[in-house]
């Protein structure tokens, strides 16, 4: 098997097999079918990335189809937001279509199924239907209306369409098998009565098709070749196929291709909820300011917070396409935006918690403009001028009157370097009546060649621009806020998820535009919020320079974590330690260590392993240990993504023969 073939995920394997078995490549067609009842969130990006990614890979059309069959919950606002989000992510759809486009065709097919004795009008109450449907261990019983005549069913269905009945009086059900082990096959509902205004069809219809009837037949009408959905729809596949097989004889000439439904694991993210109903509750109860609140996991919220399309697409790529459900640590998403912004965001200076520093031996009316590099990661980013004067602001946290030798910031008698400027030494402090330090008096030296351990960011008081900074943190303090049977997810709201402060920024930011992104040096990544105006700068904190939650987790929480999770963390640490010495061991010892790594790898997740891919080239032993661990994960069903392919490719070009040997086995 070629390296290219091995790198395919399981859905691509299915498609490749279909092509090899004679399906013309021109028949490939995919779709993304959101329901316009809320904003898209980070969980949807996986489905978006899979379908549109396949479209890009195979140069095949991808339809954007809105599943608009429930007018009580759907709005044009959501349609517009979904289109905006998908475009922002960088994807193009071939056709914009709606399930409502097919209402007449679906109705006509339903009438035909009634005529063939495969559907009937049921007039039971919802409670009675639930009772007679049975349970997973108890077969259902037939409805007393199941044997209505074709003529009576046709008449009732027509009257339902004409609006003669109230909601709930009648429904149309498929006639399949009330004893089927799959409860979805026990005469599922096809149509219900809803007297509601539809955002596209107005009041034309008062009966609306159910999801299972609409979804598969919409795929069929659009001639979608591969209908991709998340794992919760796997039990629906049998019904999907049944409906499809009923309409095929009616329209085979017009629609010759039968779609194939396949399922993948949905994206679950720690410290996050993915239910649109629960996200709507956060909006309606004012916990957040709206669907695009930067704390929300919606795509519009992430965009407003400063996430980039590239970072989200890279995150989906790293997560990969899997068949089994798992929870991805939100820190991986944060890692992706840090990695992206590190390459692109200009470095600037801002002080969020200001403390005035007076440089006593600097001339009163003097000012200087120093050259400052915009981004050391980007040679084309150029530089800018930053002003310096007698009085500057530094962070309060960067000064202590007394501190140990391990405190490398400013302290009395100590020296630090000011970024892009001079070295200063703290001489004394000024305090208010409560004993709080209000000023630090320092002296400076023009000799910048001296070696000092600390470097601080700063802003000239004279030139500082005031700005509102919104520091955001995770919205929930629990890793799985909606997984507790005895508690409401709202109980886990983080009371400190938003902190609004007044800060000072360097004057180069005075003309910053909405959406522009910056690294506030030593603080994190920030972008200009939508609320900013010409007279008021507003910045959102996108993410810190490092993962602050990893260190902040309470020790008692660590004790309560599952033993398996503890073993995983221990395993990856031991693997790293074994790898450090691997290349210096004699061959016999290497074999023993190799076996130990392979055994430990069984308790490691991909999210723990992936950071080791960035190990320095000179640390060949650690890279070998990572390669061995990766081998076990791949053997246990992990699908290759681009990060894995790049890691293997780089290893194959390495000078270390042991590393090349292990990489060649993958």
């Amino acid at each position: 098997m070629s390296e290219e073939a091995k790198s395919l995920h399981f859905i691509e394997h299915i498609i490749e097999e279909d092509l090899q078995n004679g399906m013309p490549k021109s028949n490939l067609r995919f779709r993304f079918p959101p329901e316009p009842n809320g904003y898209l969130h980070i969980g949807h990006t996986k489905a978006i990335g899979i379908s549109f990614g396949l479209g890009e890979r195979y140069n095949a059309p991808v339809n954007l189809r809105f599943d608009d069959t429930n007018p009580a919950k759907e709005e044009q606002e959501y349609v517009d937001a979904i289109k905006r989000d998908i475009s922002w992510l960088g994807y193009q759809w071939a056709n914009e279509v709606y399930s409502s486009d097919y209402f007449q065709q679906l109705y006509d097919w339903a009438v035909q199924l009634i005529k063939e004795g495969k559907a009937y009008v049921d007039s039971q109450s919802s409670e009675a239907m639930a009772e007679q449907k049975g349970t997973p261990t108890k077969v259902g019983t037939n409805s007393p209306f199941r044997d209505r005549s074709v003529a009576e069913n046709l008449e009732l269905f027509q009257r339902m369409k004409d609006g003669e009945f109230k909601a709930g009086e009648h429904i149309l059900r498929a006639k399949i098998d009330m004893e089927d082990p799959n409860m979805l096959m026990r005469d599922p509902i096809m149509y219900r009565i809803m007297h509601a205004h539809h955002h596209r069809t107005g009041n034309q219809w008062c009966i609306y098709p159910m999801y299972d009837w609409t979804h598969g037949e919409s795929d069929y009408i659009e001639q979608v070749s591969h209908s991709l959905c998340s794992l919760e729809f796997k039990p629906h596949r049998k019904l999907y196929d049944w409906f499809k097989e009923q309409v095929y004889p009616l329209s085979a000439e017009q629609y010759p291709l039968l779609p194939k439904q396949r399922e993948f694991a949905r994206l679950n993210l720690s410290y996050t909820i993915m239910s649109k109903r629960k996200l709507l509750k956060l909006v309606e109860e004012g916990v957040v300011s709206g669907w695009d609140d930067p704390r929300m996991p919606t795509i519009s919220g992430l965009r407003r917070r400063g996430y980039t399309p590239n970072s989200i697409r890279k995150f989906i790529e790293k997560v990969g396409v899997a068949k089994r459900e798992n929870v991805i640590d939100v820190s991986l998403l944060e890692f992706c935006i840090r990695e992206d912004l590190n390459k692109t965001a200009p470095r600037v200076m801002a002080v969020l918690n200001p403390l005035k520093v007076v440089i006593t031996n600097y001339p009163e009316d003097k000012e200087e403009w120093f050259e400052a590099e915009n981004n050391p990661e980007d040679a084309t980013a150029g530089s800018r001028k930053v002003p310096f004067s007698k009085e500057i602001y530094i962070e309060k946290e960067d000064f202590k009157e007394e501190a140990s030798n391990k405190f490398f910031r400013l302290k009395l008698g100590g020296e630090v370097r000011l970024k892009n400027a001079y070295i200063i030494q703290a001489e004394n402090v000024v305090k208010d009546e409560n004993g709080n330090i209000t000023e630090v008096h320092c002296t400076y030296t023009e000799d910048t060649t001296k070696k000092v351990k600390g470097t601080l960011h700063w802003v000239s008081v004279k030139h500082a621009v005031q700005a509102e900074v919104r520091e955001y943190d995770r919205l929930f303090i629990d890793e799985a806020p909606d997984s507790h049977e005895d508690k409401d997810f709202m109980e886990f709201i983080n009371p400190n998820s938003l902190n609004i402060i007044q800060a000072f920024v360097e004057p180069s930011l005075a003309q910053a535009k909405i959406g522009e992104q910056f690294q506030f040096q030593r603080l994190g990544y920030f972008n200009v919020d939508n609320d900013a105006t010409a007279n008021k700068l507003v910045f959102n904190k996108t993410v810190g320079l490092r993962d602050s939650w990893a260190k902040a987790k309470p020790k008692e929480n660590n004790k309560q974590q599952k033993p398996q999770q503890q073993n995983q963390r221990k395993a990856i640490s031991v693997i790293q330690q074994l790898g450090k010495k691997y290349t210096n061991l004699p061959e016999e010892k290497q074999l023993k260590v190799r076996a130990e790594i392979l055994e430990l790898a069984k308790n490691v997740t991909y999210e723990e392993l992936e950071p080791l891919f960035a190990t320095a080239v000179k640390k060949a032993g650690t890279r070998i240990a990572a390669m061995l661990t990766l081998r076990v994960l791949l053997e246990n069903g992990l699908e290759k993504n681009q990060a894995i392919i790049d890691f293997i490719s780089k290893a194959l070009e390495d000078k270390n023969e042991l590393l090349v040997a292990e990489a060649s086995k993958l």
Side-chain angles (χ1 to χ4, degrees), residues 78-238:
Y78 299 139
V79 171
D80 296 338
I82 289 168
K83 290 164 60 178
R84 184 169 58 246
D85 289 344
I86 296 174
S87 295
W88 176 75
L89 285 171
Y91 295 113
Q92 299 290 324
W93 53 87
N95 302 289
E96 179 183 328
V97 290
Y98 296 79
S99 294
S100 55
D101 295 337
Y102 315 129
F103 279 177
Q104 187 61 53
Q105 178 65 85
L106 292 169
Y107 175 81
D108 293 342
W109 277 337
V111 169
Q112 188 61 39
L113 261 60
I114 293 173
K115 290 178 179 179
E116 294 176 0
K118 296 175 181 176
Y120 64 98
V121 175
D122 197 341
S123 305
Q124 298 181 88
S125 66
S126 58
E127 293 78 13
M129 278 189 284
E131 179 67 27
Q132 55 93 204
K133 198 163 187 178
T135 68
T137 57
K138 178 184 175 184
V139 299
T141 55
N142 290 343
S143 164
F145 302 100
R146 199 173 194 264
D147 295 324
R148 272 177 165 154
S149 68
V150 169
E152 186 180 3
N153 283 320
L154 288 172
E155 180 195 359
L156 286 169
F157 192 47
Q158 179 65 48
R159 292 173 66 192
M160 287 169 61
K161 179 179 180 292
D162 292 341
E164 295 185 23
F165 303 113
K166 296 178 182 178
E169 281 193 69
H170 303 287
I171 58 167
L172 183 71
R173 298 177 72 175
K175 188 185 290 187
I176 307 180
D177 183 1
M178 291 301 293
E179 296 186 1
D180 196 292
N182 185 335
M183 291 187 66
L184 293 170
M185 300 296 287
R186 297 180 187 178
D187 292 8
I189 301 173
M190 294 176 64
Y191 277 90
R192 78 284 205 200
I193 299 170
M194 291 184 70
H195 296 283
H197 181 83
H198 190 279
H199 71 104
R200 292 187 76 245
T201 62
N203 298 318
Q204 180 182 350
W205 295 87
C206 53
I207 56 170
Y208 289 93
M210 299 297 290
Y211 172 85
D212 281 315
W213 169 239
T214 310
H215 179 70
E217 278 36 71
S218 297
D219 285 344
Y220 178 52
I221 293 169
E222 293 172 22
Q223 290 291 273
V224 169
S225 60
H226 297 80
S227 177
L228 309 173
C229 52
S230 49
L231 279 177
E232 63 261 37
F233 291 100
K234 190 169 185 176
H236 295 247
R237 193 201 292 185
K238 187 174 182 180

Side-chain angles (χ1 to χ4, degrees), residues 298-311:
T298 55
I299 296 175
S300 56
L302 291 167
R303 177 170 62 245
R304 185 172 177 184
R305 184 156 174 174
Y307 277 78
T308 61
N310 185 58
S311 67

Side-chain angles (χ1 to χ4, degrees), residues 398-662:
D398 283 339
F399 174 76
K400 286 184 178 180
E401 281 189 87
E402 297 179 5
S404 69
N405 292 332
K406 293 183 179 181
F407 184 76
F408 298 129
R409 288 167 280 174
L410 189 61
K411 57 188 174 184
L412 283 181
E415 292 181 311
V416 295
R417 187 183 304 278
L418 297 176
K419 183 71 174 176
N420 304 309
Y422 298 114
I423 293 171
I424 60 172
Q425 181 173 13
E427 306 291 351
N428 55 70
V429 298
V430 176
K431 298 182 180 181
D432 62 17
E433 62 274 13
N434 297 318
N436 299 312
I437 297 172
T438 58
E439 291 182 5
V440 180
H441 288 189
C442 298
T443 56
Y444 87 105
T445 175
E446 293 185 353
D447 179 10
T448 58
T449 63
K450 294 176 64 176
K451 290 186 177 180
V452 292
K453 292 185 176 180
T455 299
L456 305 184
H457 63 277
W458 53 274
V459 173
S460 166
V461 172
K462 179 180 177 181
H463 305 87
V465 176
Q466 192 161 4
E468 178 180 300
V469 173
R470 299 170 181 175
E471 286 190 313
Y472 292 102
D473 205 342
R474 297 176 186 175
L475 187 56
F476 296 98
I477 57 176
D478 188 83
E479 290 190 35
D482 57 351
S483 66
H484 302 269
E485 293 183 4
D486 57 336
K487 293 183 179 180
D488 185 84
F489 77 99
M490 299 286 277
E491 295 182 39
F492 300 102
I493 295 289
N494 180 3
N496 301 312
S497 63
L498 172 59
N499 180 32
I500 299 177
I501 58 178
Q502 297 303 314
F504 293 104
V505 300
E506 65 175 69
S508 68
L509 293 174
Q511 304 303 318
K513 302 294 189 295
I514 289 174
E516 286 189 316
Q517 295 158 311
F518 303 91
Q519 184 197 100
F520 288 0
Q521 291 183 307
R522 299 178 64 234
L523 299 174
Y525 295 98
F526 296 75
N527 75 312
V528 184
D529 185 69
N530 301 351
D531 291 340
T533 66
N535 300 318
K536 181 183 179 183
L537 274 175
V538 181
F539 289 94
N540 295 324
K541 183 176 182 179
T542 305
V543 68
L545 294 179
R546 297 175 184 81
D547 182 2
S548 60
W549 279 66
K551 294 182 179 180
K553 283 186 178 179
K555 292 182 179 179
E556 59 267 24
N557 285 359
N558 293 338
K559 292 178 182 179
Q560 294 171 7
Q561 288 175 336
K562 296 179 181 178
Q564 182 182 2
Q565 292 175 321
Q566 294 174 338
N567 290 338
Q568 286 173 345
R569 280 197 304 278
K570 182 180 179 182
I572 194 67
S573 299
V574 174
I575 287 171
Q576 284 182 271
Q577 292 301 317
L578 292 173
K580 288 179 181 179
K581 301 177 181 179
Y582 189 85
T583 54
N584 297 323
L585 298 173
E587 185 176 352
E588 182 179 347
K589 185 68 173 176
Q590 278 184 351
L591 291 174
K592 291 182 179 179
V593 170
R594 186 174 184 278
E596 188 174 351
I597 291 172
L598 290 172
E599 183 62 32
L600 287 166
K602 297 176 182 178
N603 292 316
V604 173
T605 65
Y606 174 71
E607 287 69 37
E608 293 172 312
L609 176 65
E610 199 271 341
L612 294 188
F613 291 176
T615 301
V617 173
K618 63 182 180 180
K619 297 181 180 180
T622 303
R623 297 176 71 208
I624 291 170
M627 196 66 68
L628 290 168
T629 306
L630 177 59
R631 173 183 165 184
V632 173
L633 267 61
L634 290 171
E635 289 174 350
N636 289 336
L638 175 68
E639 299 287 343
K640 283 187 179 178
N641 58 29
Q642 193 59 49
I644 293 174
I645 295 169
D646 292 345
F647 178 56
I648 295 172
S649 299
K650 188 176 180 180
L652 289 169
E653 299 172 358
D654 200 88
K655 296 179 180 179
N656 188 286
E657 294 181 359
L658 291 174
L659 178 59
V660 173
E662 294 299 341

Side-chain angles (χ1 to χ4, degrees), residues 236-468:
H236 295 247
R237 193 201 292 185
K238 187 174 182 180
L239 180 56
Y240 180 97
D241 290 340
W242 188 89
F243 278 137
K244 182 177 61 179
E245 289 158 5
Q246 309 315 309
V247 302
Y248 183 73
L250 307 176
S251 307
E253 290 187 14
Q254 185 178 3
Y255 307 117
L257 179 68
L258 284 172
K260 176 186 293 187
Q261 176 178 306
R262 290 297 180 265
E263 307 83 15
F264 56 85
R266 65 185 295 177
L267 173 59
N268 299 301
L269 203 62
S270 64
Y271 296 98
T272 311
I273 57 172
M274 299 294 192
S275 163
K276 282 192 283 187
R277 177 180 57 81
K278 292 177 180 177
L279 292 175
L280 178 60
K281 184 176 181 181
L282 293 173
V283 174
E284 291 178 336
E285 296 195 8
V287 175
V288 294
S289 60
W291 285 97
D292 68 342
D293 187 295
R295 292 166 292 179
M296 289 281 273
T298 55
I299 296 175
S300 56
L302 291 167
R303 177 170 62 245
R304 185 172 177 184
R305 184 156 174 174
Y307 277 78
T308 61
N310 185 58
S311 67
I312 294 175
R313 290 179 67 153
K314 182 64 70 174
F315 169 67
I316 296 304
E317 183 182 289
K318 287 180 180 292
V319 168
V321 182
K323 298 180 182 179
R324 291 178 292 182
E325 295 282 4
N326 59 348
V327 178
I328 305 300
D329 197 314
V330 69
S331 61
L332 179 61
L333 176 62
E334 294 167 348
F335 168 81
C336 289
I337 186 59
R338 282 192 197 96
E339 189 176 50
D340 191 42
L341 292 180
N342 182 54
K343 300 172 186 174
T344 60
R347 274 57 165 166
V348 296
M349 292 193 289
V351 176
L352 306 191
N353 190 14
L355 173 64
K356 183 185 285 189
V357 171
V358 180
I359 304 171
T360 56
N361 62 336
Y362 194 86
E364 192 75 37
D365 55 353
K366 183 179 179 180
E367 67 178 52
E368 297 176 85
W369 290 76
F370 294 118
E371 200 80 19
E373 190 177 23
N374 284 335
N375 190 339
E377 300 292 326
D378 181 2
T380 66
S383 61
R384 68 193 187 284
K385 296 285 188 179
V386 292
F388 185 81
S389 61
K390 185 181 182 70
E391 295 182 345
I392 62 173
Y393 290 125
I394 65 170
E395 301 286 351
K396 282 184 180 178
E397 296 79 11
D398 283 339
F399 174 76
K400 286 184 178 180
E401 281 189 87
E402 297 179 5
S404 69
N405 292 332
K406 293 183 179 181
F407 184 76
F408 298 129
R409 288 167 280 174
L410 189 61
K411 57 188 174 184
L412 283 181
E415 292 181 311
V416 295
R417 187 183 304 278
L418 297 176
K419 183 71 174 176
N420 304 309
Y422 298 114
I423 293 171
I424 60 172
Q425 181 173 13
E427 306 291 351
N428 55 70
V429 298
V430 176
K431 298 182 180 181
D432 62 17
E433 62 274 13
N434 297 318
N436 299 312
I437 297 172
T438 58
E439 291 182 5
V440 180
H441 288 189
C442 298
T443 56
Y444 87 105
T445 175
E446 293 185 353
D447 179 10
T448 58
T449 63
K450 294 176 64 176
K451 290 186 177 180
V452 292
K453 292 185 176 180
T455 299
L456 305 184
H457 63 277
W458 53 274
V459 173
S460 166
V461 172
K462 179 180 177 181
H463 305 87
V465 176
Q466 192 161 4
E468 178 180 300

